[in-house]
Every structure is written in structure tokens, then in C-alpha cells.
């Protein structure tokens, strides 16, 4: 098999067996070489030997969380860098921002259609490092602005006053 025919390697880190199975099937069908890890610890053991180009990472796992896996990836500075797409149940904007700040290149919430995940992975893998960095910076800036608007001090006080008035 030539270099151009090699399938991109994807590591799915997910502690829910059913989700891991479904995602593995969809990504394999989409012509990715897929491995699964059921914990952060297992992921950290698999990364050096498997050498994924991208990791689909759940954040809420025990005993080693996805956050710890992100920190570990950043500390180990793999070359080439491993791209991370967070796939988690948390919809909180502050966690999305934190995920991007911690090194994830994209953030999807569960449940999501496997076809959406496949297309996001293809897009991420197709981007140059420079284009990806630019996109990430734009997303962070946009999400910080939204978060700032949501937590402006004046808004909470006005809302409390209007609630008290009724």
C-alpha cells in the first residue's frame, strides 16, 4: 500500500462501550484505521505505538479524565502534533473554551450524528497546521466574546431587579 493509500489513524477514547462501538464502525466504514480506548490510561498507553493523526476524546472519564489526556498530549509534544476532537456530553460554553485552550481543535457535544463526526474529522485532517491554528484562534475569540456577554455584571443585576419586581 502506498503512502497516499494509507488510511488516517483515529483513536477513539470513550468509556461508554456502545458509543465506542458505533463510532468505531462508522469511522472504519469511512476508511479510517480505528482503535478504541476505554479510558484515559488506555489512551496514553496506545498513543505511542498506534501513532494516531487524530484523537476523538471524551472528557468525562474515570480515573483519568479526558482533561488529563489533553495535558499529557501537550506535555509530550508529539511530532507531528496529534489533533484532538472533543466529543463529550457537556454543553457548557466555559468547558468548550477550556477544551480549545487545552489543545483540542474542535468540540462536539453528544449526542451527535456519526456522519457529522466523520465530516469534522475529514475537515480537520485536511487542514494545514497554519489554517487550523488560525481557525482555532478565531473560535476562541468568538466564544470568549459570547461568554463575556453572558456574564456581564450589569445583566445579572438587572435580571435580579426585574425578577424581584414581579
Amino acid at each position: 500500500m502506498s503512502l497516499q493509500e494509507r488510511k488516517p489513524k483515529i483513536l477513539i477514547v470513550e468509556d461508554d462501550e456502545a458509543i465506542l462501538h458505533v463510532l468505531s464502525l462508522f469511522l472504519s466504514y469511512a476508511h479510517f484505521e480505528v482503535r478504541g480506548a476505554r479510558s484515559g490510561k488506555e489512551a496514553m498507553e496506545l498513543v505511542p505505538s498506534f501513532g494516531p493523526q487524530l484523537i476523538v476524546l471524551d472528557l468525562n472519564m474515570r480515573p483519568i479524565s479526558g482533561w488529563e489526556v489533553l495535558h499529557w498530549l501537550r506535555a509530550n509534544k508529539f511530532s507531528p502534533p496529534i489533533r484532538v476532537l472533543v466529543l463529550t456530553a457537556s454543553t457548557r460554553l466555559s468547558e468548550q473554551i477550556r477544551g480549545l485552550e487545552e489543545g483540542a481543535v474542535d468540540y462536539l457535544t453528544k449526542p451527535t450524528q456519526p456522519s457529522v463526526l466523520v465530516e469534522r474529522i475529514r475537515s480537520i485532517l485536511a487542514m494545514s497546521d497554519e489554517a487550523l491554528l488560525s481557525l482555532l484562534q478565531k473560535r476562541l475569540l468568538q466564544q470568549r466574546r459570547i461568554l463575556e456577554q453572558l456574564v456581564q455584571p450589569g445583566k445579572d443585576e438587572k435580571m435580579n431587579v426585574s425578577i424581584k419586581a414581579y
Side-chain angles (χ1 to χ4, degrees):
M1 188 180 283
S2 75
L3 239 50
Q4 290 179 333
E5 294 173 355
R6 288 182 49 194
K7 295 178 181 181
K9 294 180 178 181
I10 309 296
L11 176 63
I12 303 169
V13 186
E14 172 61 61
D15 59 349
D16 183 308
E17 187 74 35
I19 293 172
L20 179 60
H21 181 72
V22 168
L23 294 179
S24 294
L25 286 175
F26 264 85
L27 293 178
S28 294
Y29 183 74
H31 306 291
F32 295 110
E33 183 178 340
V34 181
R35 296 269 169 85
R38 289 168 187 79
S39 69
K41 181 180 187 288
E42 189 178 343
M44 289 187 277
E45 292 169 354
L46 270 173
V47 165
S49 61
F50 180 52
Q53 280 93 7
L54 186 136
I55 297 174
V56 176
L57 180 66
D58 185 15
L59 296 175
N60 302 315
M61 298 179 292
R62 290 198 175 131
I64 296 177
S65 72
W67 296 112
E68 292 170 280
V69 173
L70 280 171
H71 294 154
W72 177 81
L73 287 167
R74 197 166 63 198
N76 282 281
K77 298 180 182 173
F78 289 94
S79 183
I82 301 169
R83 297 170 182 202
V84 178
L85 186 155
V86 169
L87 179 63
T88 193
S90 177
T91 59
R92 293 192 321 218
L93 184 59
S94 60
E95 285 209 4
Q96 291 178 23
I97 292 171
R98 180 179 169 206
L100 296 173
E101 288 174 338
E102 297 279 341
V105 296
D106 207 346
Y107 191 106
L108 287 173
T109 55
K110 296 176 191 172
T112 192
Q113 293 294 322
S115 59
V116 170
L117 180 64
V118 167
E119 289 310 312
R120 288 281 181 99
I121 289 171
R122 285 186 178 141
S123 295
I124 291 168
L125 292 176
M127 295 179 89
S128 69
D129 290 340
E130 295 79 20
L132 197 56
L133 181 59
S134 176
L135 177 65
L136 185 57
Q137 289 171 338
K138 287 177 186 175
R139 281 188 185 154
L140 273 171
L141 183 60
Q142 180 184 29
Q143 290 186 336
R144 283 186 184 136
R145 285 182 183 152
I146 293 169
L147 189 59
E148 287 170 2
Q149 289 175 356
L150 292 173
V151 294
Q152 284 179 353
K155 284 188 175 185
D156 287 342
E157 292 169 10
K158 289 177 186 173
M159 289 178 71
N160 287 338
V161 170
S162 63
I163 292 170
K164 290 177 185 175
Y166 290 102

